[in-house]
Amino acid sequence: MSEEQRFYPNRWAKIILTSAEEIVGRDGVAALLNMANMKEYIDNYPPDNMKKEFPFEDVGKLQQAFWDMYGPRGARVFATRAGEQAFNDGLQSFGQVAKAAQTVMKIGSLEKRMSVGLAFFAKFFNTVSDQVVSVKSDGEHWYWRLEKCPMCTGRTSEQPVCHLAVGVLRGAFAWGSGGQQFRITPTNCIAMGQEEGIIAIEKEPMQM
Ligand SMILES: [Zn+2]
């Protein structure tokens, strides 16, 4: 391998599995793990801690198994749900971080607050995992740029596969905006041969 190994925190890997379990049950998850060639995790989920021990390759293999078993749409449902749960769990387990985010997001327009919040969370995610994320924006969009991405590690695809990040962002935007919904679209993905993954978020919330 050309690169050093990177890791996700155990708890996030666990959330991917437990949130899938809510949809397909324990047997369904066992079948997935079987398919992913990750039998060692059957009835033996990663521990509930933030140690960076779950290899990016395994995140990728797991996401691929969802894809193979349930198709792109199904995989998207699982990943989005897991991402939202991971974000909400993060708020609970990192009360100080949530408070700090709320403090920096207090002032200004919705756009200003979300910009500050996004930068804040990018930094947070870069700290607790080996993922590397940065944020850019133009007049209409924010761009969540995944320079090192666990979700597509070891994968190739013709469409973006990093819906776990979409779920995390959905959770973040719903939380930061007091429940408004934003259009969040993955446009680029390392699995498609591109240099980095990009998820575009429209600055104007959707009309409900
Ligand atoms: Zn990716």
Side-chain angles (χ1 to χ4, degrees), residues 146 148-153 161-162 188-191 196-197:
L146 295 145
K148 301 282 180 219
C149 176
M151 297 153 274
C152 56
T153 295
V161 295
C162 298
N188 290 38
C189 186
I190 299 169
E196 58 183 20

